[in-house]
Amino acid sequence: MDGKHPTPRPRRSDATRTAILDAARERFAADGYERATIRAIAKDAGIDPSMVMRYFGNKEGLFAAAVAIDLRLPDLTTVPHTDIGRTMVAHLLAVWEENEVLTAVLRVGATNQAGAERMRLIFQDQLVPAVRAVTADPDRAPARAALVASQLLGFALTRYVLRFPATVALSRAEVIDWLAPTVQRYVTEPLP
């Protein structure tokens, strides 16, 4: 603050919205979509349930806002063609490990239509364009991206949600070594 231009104070509505979203993420992750209630989320946020409805309209609107996820996929056009699989697996593994919201969406998506749709949109809107940019047959990018998603979501389900001991025990390097060749094939190899 320089005296001439005071630092703007955060708006109260921004703080309320943030508190609701934080509480919703925790509640959806802990209870799943079906068992999480607007009333419980409002209580966790320290506000009246009507405020949740005012900001987000309904539970589905709140869920969609709470799980807005940017996968921050790297520009694969700058990656050596032979390293695309390794780059994708390493990047998405880091995203899973840094972002509990992605695990919450996967958990909810396994049992709820709204969660499944949210997960589909995250991968459709972000993974398909990334694959399209580097595959030899861009018209097949949706199918290729779906195969990549099946590999990565299946792994994430067994490691972060179901917590299979053998999957959890794999080191980061081992995961990359196992999954990268398959992802590479899905993205860059000729169709069977």
Side-chain angles (χ1 to χ4, degrees), residues 72-158:
R72 301 178 325 271
L73 291 169
D75 179 359
L76 297 175
T77 63
T78 66
V79 173
H81 194 70
T82 57
D83 292 340
I84 289 172
R86 289 191 79 73
T87 300
M88 290 180 77
V89 172
H91 176 78
L92 289 169
L93 186 59
V95 171
W96 281 103
E97 291 171 352
E98 296 168 5
N99 191 338
E100 293 178 13
V101 175
L102 200 51
T103 300
V105 176
L106 182 59
R107 184 177 290 117
V108 171
T111 60
N112 174 271
Q113 186 58 38
E117 179 62 19
R118 192 74 197 130
M119 186 62 81
R120 273 192 299 273
L121 288 174
I122 290 166
F123 278 82
Q124 172 188 307
D125 294 347
Q126 297 177 53
L127 189 59
V128 172
V131 170
R132 183 174 282 121
V134 294
T135 190
D137 55 350
D139 58 314
R140 297 293 297 176
R144 290 178 179 274
L147 291 168
V148 170
S150 72
Q151 191 71 40
L152 297 172
L153 291 174
F155 172 78
L157 181 67
T158 62

Coordinates of all heavy atoms in Angstrom, one line a residue, residues 72-158:
R72 N -4.1 -28.4 -15.9 CA -2.8 -27.7 -16.2 C -1.9 -28.6 -17.1 O -0.7 -28.7 -16.8 CB -2.1 -27.3 -14.9 CG -2.9 -26.4 -14.0 CD -2.2 -26.0 -12.8 NE -1.3 -27.0 -12.1 CZ -1.7 -27.9 -11.3 NH1 -2.9 -27.9 -10.9 NH2 -0.8 -28.7 -10.7
L73 N -2.5 -29.2 -18.1 CA -1.8 -30.1 -19.0 C -0.7 -29.3 -19.7 O -0.9 -28.2 -20.1 CB -2.7 -30.7 -20.0 CG -3.7 -31.8 -19.4 CD1 -4.7 -32.2 -20.5 CD2 -2.9 -33.0 -19.0
P74 N 0.5 -29.9 -19.8 CA 1.6 -29.2 -20.5 C 1.3 -29.1 -22.0 O 0.5 -29.9 -22.5 CB 2.8 -30.1 -20.2 CG 2.2 -31.4 -19.9 CD 0.9 -31.2 -19.3
D75 N 1.9 -28.2 -22.7 CA 1.8 -28.1 -24.1 C 2.6 -29.3 -24.7 O 3.8 -29.3 -24.7 CB 2.4 -26.8 -24.6 CG 2.3 -26.6 -26.1 OD1 1.9 -27.6 -26.8 OD2 2.7 -25.6 -26.6
L76 N 1.9 -30.3 -25.1 CA 2.5 -31.5 -25.6 C 3.2 -31.3 -26.9 O 4.1 -32.1 -27.3 CB 1.5 -32.7 -25.7 CG 0.9 -33.1 -24.3 CD1 -0.2 -34.2 -24.6 CD2 2.0 -33.6 -23.4
T77 N 2.9 -30.2 -27.6 CA 3.6 -30.0 -28.9 C 5.0 -29.6 -28.7 O 5.8 -29.7 -29.7 CB 2.9 -28.9 -29.7 OG1 2.9 -27.7 -29.0 CG2 1.4 -29.3 -30.0
T78 N 5.4 -29.3 -27.5 CA 6.8 -28.9 -27.2 C 7.6 -30.1 -26.6 O 8.8 -29.9 -26.4 CB 6.9 -27.7 -26.2 OG1 6.3 -28.2 -24.9 CG2 6.1 -26.5 -26.7
V79 N 6.9 -31.2 -26.5 CA 7.6 -32.4 -25.9 C 8.1 -33.3 -27.0 O 7.3 -33.5 -28.0 CB 6.5 -33.2 -25.0 CG1 7.1 -34.5 -24.5 CG2 6.1 -32.3 -23.9
P80 N 9.3 -33.9 -26.9 CA 9.7 -34.8 -27.9 C 8.6 -35.9 -28.1 O 8.1 -36.4 -27.1 CB 11.0 -35.4 -27.3 CG 11.5 -34.4 -26.4 CD 10.3 -33.7 -25.8
H81 N 8.3 -36.2 -29.3 CA 7.2 -37.2 -29.6 C 7.3 -38.5 -28.9 O 6.3 -39.0 -28.4 CB 7.2 -37.4 -31.2 CG 6.0 -38.1 -31.7 ND1 4.8 -37.4 -31.7 CD2 5.8 -39.3 -32.1 CE1 3.9 -38.3 -32.2 NE2 4.4 -39.4 -32.4
T82 N 8.5 -39.0 -28.6 CA 8.7 -40.2 -27.9 C 8.5 -40.1 -26.4 O 8.5 -41.1 -25.7 CB 10.1 -40.8 -28.2 OG1 11.1 -39.8 -27.8 CG2 10.3 -41.2 -29.7
D83 N 8.4 -38.9 -25.9 CA 8.3 -38.7 -24.5 C 6.9 -38.3 -24.1 O 6.6 -37.9 -22.9 CB 9.2 -37.6 -24.0 CG 10.7 -38.1 -24.1 OD1 10.9 -39.3 -24.1 OD2 11.6 -37.2 -24.1
I84 N 5.9 -38.3 -25.0 CA 4.6 -37.8 -24.7 C 3.9 -38.6 -23.6 O 3.3 -38.1 -22.6 CB 3.7 -37.8 -25.9 CG1 4.2 -36.6 -26.8 CG2 2.2 -37.6 -25.6 CD1 3.5 -36.6 -28.2
G85 N 4.0 -40.0 -23.6 CA 3.4 -40.8 -22.6 C 4.0 -40.6 -21.2 O 3.3 -40.4 -20.3
R86 N 5.3 -40.5 -21.1 CA 6.0 -40.2 -19.9 C 5.6 -38.9 -19.3 O 5.3 -38.7 -18.1 CB 7.5 -40.3 -20.0 CG 8.1 -41.7 -20.2 CD 9.6 -41.7 -20.1 NE 10.0 -41.7 -18.7 CZ 9.9 -42.7 -17.9 NH1 9.4 -43.9 -18.3 NH2 10.3 -42.7 -16.7
T87 N 5.5 -37.9 -20.2 CA 5.2 -36.5 -19.8 C 3.8 -36.5 -19.2 O 3.5 -35.9 -18.2 CB 5.4 -35.5 -20.9 OG1 6.7 -35.6 -21.4 CG2 5.0 -34.1 -20.6
M88 N 2.8 -37.1 -20.0 CA 1.4 -37.1 -19.5 C 1.3 -37.8 -18.2 O 0.6 -37.3 -17.3 CB 0.5 -37.7 -20.6 CG 0.4 -36.9 -21.8 SD -0.6 -37.7 -23.1 CE -2.2 -37.3 -22.4
V89 N 1.8 -39.0 -18.1 CA 1.7 -39.8 -16.8 C 2.3 -39.0 -15.7 O 1.7 -38.9 -14.6 CB 2.3 -41.2 -17.0 CG1 2.3 -41.9 -15.6 CG2 1.5 -42.0 -18.0
A90 N 3.5 -38.5 -15.8 CA 4.2 -37.8 -14.7 C 3.4 -36.6 -14.3 O 3.2 -36.3 -13.1 CB 5.6 -37.4 -15.2
H91 N 2.9 -35.9 -15.3 CA 2.1 -34.7 -15.0 C 0.8 -35.0 -14.3 O 0.5 -34.4 -13.2 CB 1.8 -33.9 -16.3 CG 1.0 -32.7 -16.0 ND1 1.5 -31.5 -15.4 CD2 -0.4 -32.5 -16.1 CE1 0.5 -30.7 -15.2 NE2 -0.6 -31.2 -15.6
L92 N 0.1 -36.0 -14.8 CA -1.2 -36.3 -14.2 C -1.0 -37.0 -12.8 O -1.8 -36.8 -11.9 CB -2.1 -37.1 -15.1 CG -2.6 -36.2 -16.3 CD1 -3.2 -37.1 -17.4 CD2 -3.6 -35.2 -15.8
L93 N 0.0 -37.7 -12.6 CA 0.3 -38.3 -11.3 C 0.6 -37.1 -10.3 O 0.0 -37.2 -9.2 CB 1.5 -39.2 -11.4 CG 1.9 -40.0 -10.2 CD1 0.8 -40.9 -9.7 CD2 3.2 -40.8 -10.5
A94 N 1.3 -36.1 -10.7 CA 1.5 -35.0 -9.8 C 0.2 -34.3 -9.5 O 0.0 -33.9 -8.4 CB 2.5 -34.0 -10.5
V95 N -0.6 -34.1 -10.5 CA -1.9 -33.5 -10.3 C -2.7 -34.2 -9.2 O -3.3 -33.7 -8.3 CB -2.7 -33.3 -11.6 CG1 -4.1 -32.8 -11.3 CG2 -2.0 -32.3 -12.5
W96 N -2.8 -35.6 -9.4 CA -3.6 -36.4 -8.5 C -3.0 -36.2 -7.0 O -3.7 -36.1 -6.1 CB -3.5 -37.9 -8.8 CG -4.4 -38.2 -9.9 CD1 -4.1 -38.4 -11.2 CD2 -5.8 -38.4 -9.9 NE1 -5.2 -38.8 -12.0 CE2 -6.3 -38.7 -11.2 CE3 -6.8 -38.3 -8.8 CZ2 -7.6 -39.0 -11.5 CZ3 -8.1 -38.6 -9.1 CH2 -8.5 -38.9 -10.4
E97 N -1.7 -36.2 -6.9 CA -1.1 -36.1 -5.6 C -1.2 -34.8 -5.0 O -1.2 -34.7 -3.7 CB 0.4 -36.6 -5.7 CG 0.5 -38.1 -6.0 CD 1.9 -38.6 -6.4 OE1 2.8 -37.7 -6.5 OE2 2.0 -39.8 -6.5
E98 N -1.3 -33.7 -5.8 CA -1.5 -32.4 -5.2 C -2.9 -31.9 -5.0 O -3.1 -31.0 -4.3 CB -0.8 -31.4 -6.2 CG 0.6 -31.5 -6.5 CD 1.1 -30.7 -7.7 OE1 0.3 -30.0 -8.3 OE2 2.3 -30.9 -8.0
N99 N -3.9 -32.6 -5.6 CA -5.2 -32.1 -5.7 C -6.2 -33.1 -5.1 O -6.6 -34.0 -5.9 CB -5.5 -31.7 -7.1 CG -6.8 -30.9 -7.2 OD1 -7.7 -31.0 -6.3 ND2 -7.0 -30.1 -8.3
E100 N -6.6 -33.0 -3.9 CA -7.6 -33.9 -3.3 C -8.9 -33.8 -4.0 O -9.7 -34.7 -3.9 CB -7.7 -33.7 -1.8 CG -6.4 -34.1 -1.1 CD -6.5 -33.8 0.4 OE1 -7.6 -33.5 0.9 OE2 -5.4 -33.8 1.1
V101 N -9.2 -32.7 -4.6 CA -10.5 -32.5 -5.2 C -10.7 -33.5 -6.4 O -11.8 -34.0 -6.6 CB -10.6 -31.0 -5.8 CG1 -11.9 -30.9 -6.5 CG2 -10.6 -30.0 -4.6
L102 N -9.6 -33.8 -7.1 CA -9.7 -34.7 -8.2 C -10.1 -36.1 -7.7 O -10.9 -36.8 -8.3 CB -8.4 -34.7 -9.0 CG -8.4 -35.3 -10.4 CD1 -9.5 -34.7 -11.2 CD2 -7.0 -35.1 -11.0
T103 N -9.5 -36.5 -6.6 CA -9.8 -37.8 -5.9 C -11.3 -37.8 -5.5 O -12.0 -38.7 -5.7 CB -8.9 -38.1 -4.8 OG1 -7.6 -38.1 -5.3 CG2 -9.2 -39.4 -4.1
A104 N -11.7 -36.6 -4.9 CA -13.1 -36.5 -4.5 C -14.1 -36.7 -5.7 O -15.1 -37.4 -5.6 CB -13.4 -35.2 -3.8
V105 N -13.7 -36.1 -6.8 CA -14.6 -36.2 -8.0 C -14.6 -37.6 -8.5 O -15.7 -38.1 -8.9 CB -14.1 -35.2 -9.1 CG1 -14.9 -35.5 -10.4 CG2 -14.2 -33.8 -8.7
L106 N -13.5 -38.3 -8.5 CA -13.4 -39.7 -8.9 C -14.3 -40.5 -8.0 O -15.1 -41.4 -8.4 CB -12.0 -40.2 -8.9 CG -11.8 -41.6 -9.4 CD1 -12.3 -41.8 -10.8 CD2 -10.3 -42.0 -9.3
R107 N -14.2 -40.3 -6.7 CA -14.9 -41.1 -5.7 C -16.4 -40.9 -5.9 O -17.2 -41.8 -6.0 CB -14.6 -40.6 -4.3 CG -15.2 -41.4 -3.2 CD -14.8 -41.0 -1.8 NE -13.4 -41.4 -1.6 CZ -12.4 -40.6 -1.4 NH1 -12.5 -39.3 -1.4 NH2 -11.1 -41.1 -1.2
V108 N -16.8 -39.6 -6.1 CA -18.3 -39.3 -6.3 C -18.7 -39.8 -7.7 O -19.8 -40.4 -7.8 CB -18.5 -37.8 -6.2 CG1 -19.9 -37.5 -6.6 CG2 -18.3 -37.4 -4.7
G109 N -17.8 -39.7 -8.7 CA -18.2 -40.1 -10.0 C -18.4 -41.6 -10.2 O -19.1 -42.0 -11.1
A110 N -17.8 -42.4 -9.3 CA -18.0 -43.8 -9.3 C -19.4 -44.2 -8.9 O -19.8 -45.3 -9.3 CB -16.9 -44.5 -8.5
T111 N -20.1 -43.4 -8.2 CA -21.4 -43.8 -7.7 C -22.5 -42.8 -8.0 O -23.7 -43.0 -7.6 CB -21.3 -43.9 -6.1 OG1 -21.0 -42.6 -5.6 CG2 -20.3 -44.9 -5.7
N112 N -22.2 -41.7 -8.7 CA -23.2 -40.6 -8.9 C -23.1 -40.1 -10.3 O -22.0 -39.8 -10.7 CB -23.0 -39.5 -7.8 CG -24.0 -38.4 -8.1 OD1 -23.6 -37.5 -8.8 ND2 -25.1 -38.4 -7.5
Q113 N -24.3 -39.9 -10.9 CA -24.3 -39.4 -12.3 C -23.7 -38.0 -12.4 O -23.0 -37.7 -13.3 CB -25.7 -39.4 -12.8 CG -25.9 -39.0 -14.2 CD -25.1 -39.9 -15.2 OE1 -25.0 -41.1 -15.0 NE2 -24.4 -39.3 -16.2
A114 N -24.0 -37.1 -11.4 CA -23.4 -35.7 -11.5 C -21.9 -35.8 -11.4 O -21.2 -35.0 -12.1 CB -24.0 -34.8 -10.4
G115 N -21.4 -36.6 -10.5 CA -19.9 -36.7 -10.4 C -19.3 -37.3 -11.7 O -18.2 -36.9 -12.1
A116 N -20.0 -38.3 -12.2 CA -19.5 -39.0 -13.5 C -19.4 -37.9 -14.6 O -18.5 -37.9 -15.3 CB -20.3 -40.2 -13.8
E117 N -20.5 -37.2 -14.7 CA -20.5 -36.1 -15.8 C -19.4 -35.1 -15.6 O -18.8 -34.7 -16.5 CB -21.9 -35.5 -15.8 CG -22.1 -34.4 -16.8 CD -21.9 -34.9 -18.3 OE1 -22.0 -36.1 -18.5 OE2 -21.6 -34.1 -19.2
R118 N -19.2 -34.7 -14.3 CA -18.2 -33.7 -14.0 C -16.8 -34.3 -14.5 O -16.0 -33.6 -15.1 CB -18.2 -33.4 -12.5 CG -17.3 -32.2 -12.2 CD -18.0 -30.9 -12.7 NE -17.1 -29.9 -12.8 CZ -16.9 -29.1 -13.8 NH1 -17.6 -29.2 -14.9 NH2 -16.0 -28.2 -13.8
M119 N -16.5 -35.5 -14.1 CA -15.2 -36.1 -14.5 C -15.1 -36.2 -16.0 O -14.1 -36.0 -16.6 CB -15.1 -37.5 -13.8 CG -13.8 -38.2 -14.1 SD -12.4 -37.2 -13.3 CE -12.5 -37.8 -11.6
R120 N -16.2 -36.6 -16.7 CA -16.2 -36.7 -18.1 C -15.9 -35.4 -18.8 O -15.0 -35.3 -19.7 CB -17.6 -37.2 -18.7 CG -17.7 -38.7 -18.7 CD -18.9 -39.1 -19.5 NE -20.2 -38.6 -19.0 CZ -20.9 -39.2 -18.1 NH1 -20.5 -40.4 -17.6 NH2 -22.0 -38.7 -17.6
L121 N -16.5 -34.3 -18.2 CA -16.2 -33.0 -18.8 C -14.8 -32.5 -18.6 O -14.2 -31.9 -19.4 CB -17.2 -32.0 -18.2 CG -18.7 -32.1 -18.7 CD1 -19.6 -31.1 -18.0 CD2 -18.7 -31.9 -20.2
I122 N -14.3 -32.8 -17.4 CA -12.9 -32.4 -17.1 C -11.9 -33.0 -18.2 O -11.1 -32.3 -18.8 CB -12.5 -32.8 -15.7 CG1 -13.2 -32.0 -14.7 CG2 -10.9 -32.7 -15.5 CD1 -13.1 -32.5 -13.2
F123 N -12.1 -34.3 -18.4 CA -11.2 -35.0 -19.3 C -11.6 -34.6 -20.8 O -10.7 -34.4 -21.6 CB -11.2 -36.5 -19.1 CG -10.3 -36.9 -18.0 CD1 -10.6 -36.7 -16.6 CD2 -9.0 -37.2 -18.2 CE1 -9.8 -37.0 -15.6 CE2 -8.1 -37.5 -17.2 CZ -8.5 -37.4 -15.9
Q124 N -12.8 -34.5 -21.1 CA -13.2 -34.2 -22.5 C -12.7 -32.8 -22.8 O -12.1 -32.6 -23.9 CB -14.7 -34.2 -22.6 CG -15.3 -33.7 -23.9 CD -16.8 -33.6 -23.9 OE1 -17.4 -34.5 -23.5 NE2 -17.3 -32.4 -24.2
D125 N -12.9 -31.8 -22.0 CA -12.5 -30.4 -22.3 C -11.0 -30.2 -22.2 O -10.6 -29.2 -22.8 CB -13.2 -29.5 -21.3 CG -14.8 -29.5 -21.5 OD1 -15.2 -30.0 -22.5 OD2 -15.5 -28.9 -20.6
Q126 N -10.3 -31.0 -21.5 CA -8.9 -30.7 -21.3 C -8.0 -31.8 -22.0 O -6.9 -31.4 -22.6 CB -8.5 -30.6 -19.8 CG -9.3 -29.4 -19.2 CD -9.0 -29.3 -17.7 OE1 -7.9 -29.3 -17.3 NE2 -10.1 -29.2 -16.9
L127 N -8.3 -33.0 -21.9 CA -7.5 -34.1 -22.4 C -7.6 -34.2 -23.9 O -6.6 -34.4 -24.6 CB -7.8 -35.4 -21.7 CG -6.8 -36.5 -22.0 CD1 -5.4 -36.2 -21.6 CD2 -7.3 -37.8 -21.2
V128 N -8.8 -34.2 -24.4 CA -9.0 -34.3 -25.9 C -8.2 -33.3 -26.7 O -7.5 -33.7 -27.6 CB -10.5 -34.3 -26.3 CG1 -10.7 -34.3 -27.8 CG2 -11.2 -35.5 -25.7
P129 N -8.3 -32.0 -26.4 CA -7.5 -31.0 -27.1 C -6.0 -31.3 -27.0 O -5.3 -31.1 -28.0 CB -7.9 -29.7 -26.5 CG -9.2 -29.9 -25.9 CD -9.2 -31.3 -25.4
A130 N -5.5 -31.7 -25.9 CA -4.1 -32.0 -25.7 C -3.7 -33.2 -26.6 O -2.6 -33.1 -27.3 CB -3.8 -32.3 -24.3
V131 N -4.5 -34.2 -26.7 CA -4.2 -35.3 -27.5 C -4.3 -35.0 -29.0 O -3.5 -35.3 -29.8 CB -5.1 -36.5 -27.2 CG1 -5.0 -37.7 -28.2 CG2 -4.8 -37.1 -25.8
R132 N -5.4 -34.2 -29.3 CA -5.6 -33.8 -30.7 C -4.4 -33.0 -31.3 O -4.0 -33.2 -32.4 CB -6.8 -32.9 -30.8 CG -7.1 -32.5 -32.2 CD -8.5 -31.7 -32.3 NE -9.6 -32.7 -32.3 CZ -10.5 -32.7 -31.4 NH1 -10.6 -31.7 -30.5 NH2 -11.5 -33.6 -31.4
A133 N -3.7 -32.3 -30.4 CA -2.6 -31.5 -30.9 C -1.3 -32.3 -31.3 O -0.5 -31.8 -32.0 CB -2.2 -30.5 -29.8
V134 N -1.3 -33.6 -30.8 CA 0.0 -34.3 -31.0 C -0.3 -35.7 -31.8 O 0.7 -36.4 -32.1 CB 0.7 -34.6 -29.7 CG1 1.3 -33.3 -29.1 CG2 -0.1 -35.3 -28.7
T135 N -1.5 -36.0 -32.0 CA -1.7 -37.3 -32.7 C -1.7 -37.1 -34.2 O -2.1 -36.0 -34.7 CB -3.1 -37.9 -32.2 OG1 -3.1 -39.3 -32.7 CG2 -4.3 -37.2 -32.7
A136 N -1.4 -38.1 -34.9 CA -1.3 -38.1 -36.4 C -2.7 -38.1 -37.0 O -2.9 -37.7 -38.1 CB -0.5 -39.3 -36.9
D137 N -3.7 -38.5 -36.2 CA -5.1 -38.5 -36.8 C -6.0 -37.8 -35.8 O -6.7 -38.4 -35.0 CB -5.5 -40.0 -37.0 CG -5.4 -40.9 -35.8 OD1 -4.8 -40.4 -34.8 OD2 -6.0 -42.0 -35.8
P138 N -6.0 -36.5 -35.9 CA -6.8 -35.6 -34.9 C -8.3 -36.0 -34.8 O -8.9 -35.8 -33.8 CB -6.6 -34.2 -35.5 CG -5.4 -34.3 -36.3 CD -5.3 -35.6 -36.9
D139 N -8.9 -36.5 -35.9 CA -10.3 -36.9 -35.8 C -10.5 -38.1 -34.9 O -11.6 -38.3 -34.4 CB -10.8 -37.2 -37.2 CG -10.0 -38.4 -37.9 OD1 -8.8 -38.3 -37.9 OD2 -10.7 -39.3 -38.5
R140 N -9.5 -38.8 -34.5 CA -9.6 -39.9 -33.6 C -9.2 -39.5 -32.2 O -9.1 -40.4 -31.3 CB -8.8 -41.1 -34.1 CG -9.2 -41.7 -35.4 CD -10.5 -42.4 -35.4 NE -10.4 -43.5 -34.4 CZ -11.4 -44.3 -34.0 NH1 -12.6 -44.1 -34.5 NH2 -11.2 -45.3 -33.2
A141 N -8.9 -38.3 -32.0 CA -8.4 -37.8 -30.7 C -9.4 -38.1 -29.5 O -9.0 -38.5 -28.5 CB -8.1 -36.3 -30.7
P142 N -10.7 -38.0 -29.7 CA -11.6 -38.4 -28.6 C -11.5 -39.8 -28.2 O -11.4 -40.1 -27.0 CB -13.0 -38.1 -29.2 CG -12.8 -37.0 -30.2 CD -11.5 -37.4 -30.8
A143 N -11.3 -40.8 -29.1 CA -11.2 -42.2 -28.8 C -9.8 -42.4 -28.1 O -9.7 -43.1 -27.1 CB -11.3 -43.1 -30.0
R144 N -8.8 -41.8 -28.6 CA -7.4 -41.9 -28.0 C -7.4 -41.3 -26.6 O -6.9 -41.9 -25.7 CB -6.4 -41.2 -28.9 CG -6.1 -42.0 -30.2 CD -5.1 -41.2 -31.1 NE -4.8 -41.9 -32.3 CZ -3.9 -42.9 -32.5 NH1 -3.2 -43.3 -31.5 NH2 -3.7 -43.4 -33.7
A145 N -8.0 -40.1 -26.4 CA -8.1 -39.5 -25.1 C -8.9 -40.4 -24.1 O -8.6 -40.5 -23.0 CB -8.7 -38.1 -25.2
A146 N -10.0 -41.0 -24.6 CA -10.8 -41.9 -23.8 C -9.9 -43.1 -23.3 O -10.0 -43.5 -22.1 CB -12.0 -42.4 -24.5
L147 N -9.1 -43.6 -24.2 CA -8.2 -44.7 -23.8 C -7.2 -44.2 -22.7 O -6.9 -44.9 -21.8 CB -7.6 -45.3 -25.0 CG -8.5 -46.1 -25.9 CD1 -7.8 -46.4 -27.2 CD2 -9.0 -47.4 -25.2
V148 N -6.6 -43.1 -22.9 CA -5.7 -42.5 -22.0 C -6.4 -42.3 -20.6 O -5.9 -42.7 -19.6 CB -5.1 -41.1 -22.4 CG1 -4.3 -40.5 -21.3 CG2 -4.2 -41.4 -23.7
A149 N -7.6 -41.8 -20.7 CA -8.4 -41.6 -19.4 C -8.7 -42.9 -18.7 O -8.6 -43.0 -17.5 CB -9.7 -40.8 -19.7
S150 N -9.0 -43.9 -19.5 CA -9.3 -45.2 -18.9 C -8.1 -45.7 -18.1 O -8.2 -46.3 -17.0 CB -9.7 -46.2 -20.0 OG -8.7 -46.7 -20.8
Q151 N -6.9 -45.6 -18.7 CA -5.7 -46.0 -18.1 C -5.4 -45.2 -16.8 O -5.1 -45.8 -15.7 CB -4.5 -45.8 -19.0 CG -3.2 -46.5 -18.6 CD -3.3 -48.0 -18.7 OE1 -3.9 -48.6 -19.6 NE2 -2.8 -48.7 -17.7
L152 N -5.5 -43.9 -16.9 CA -5.2 -43.1 -15.8 C -6.2 -43.0 -14.7 O -5.9 -43.0 -13.5 CB -4.9 -41.6 -16.3 CG -3.7 -41.6 -17.2 CD1 -3.5 -40.2 -17.8 CD2 -2.4 -42.0 -16.5
L153 N -7.5 -43.1 -15.1 CA -8.6 -43.1 -14.1 C -8.6 -44.5 -13.4 O -8.8 -44.5 -12.2 CB -9.9 -42.8 -14.7 CG -10.1 -41.4 -15.2 CD1 -11.4 -41.2 -15.9 CD2 -10.0 -40.4 -14.0
G154 N -8.3 -45.5 -14.1 CA -8.3 -46.8 -13.5 C -7.2 -46.9 -12.5 O -7.4 -47.4 -11.4
F155 N -6.0 -46.4 -12.8 CA -4.9 -46.4 -11.9 C -5.3 -45.5 -10.7 O -5.1 -45.9 -9.5 CB -3.6 -45.8 -12.5 CG -2.5 -45.6 -11.5 CD1 -1.8 -46.7 -11.1 CD2 -2.3 -44.4 -11.0 CE1 -0.8 -46.5 -10.1 CE2 -1.3 -44.2 -10.1 CZ -0.6 -45.3 -9.6
A156 N -5.8 -44.3 -10.9 CA -6.1 -43.4 -9.8 C -7.2 -44.0 -8.9 O -7.1 -43.9 -7.7 CB -6.7 -42.1 -10.4
L157 N -8.2 -44.7 -9.5 CA -9.2 -45.4 -8.6 C -8.5 -46.4 -7.7 O -8.8 -46.4 -6.5 CB -10.2 -46.1 -9.5 CG -11.4 -46.8 -8.8 CD1 -12.2 -45.8 -8.1 CD2 -12.2 -47.6 -9.8
T158 N -7.6 -47.2 -8.2 CA -7.0 -48.3 -7.4 C -6.0 -47.7 -6.4 O -5.8 -48.3 -5.3 CB -6.3 -49.4 -8.2 OG1 -5.3 -48.8 -9.0 CG2 -7.3 -50.1 -9.1

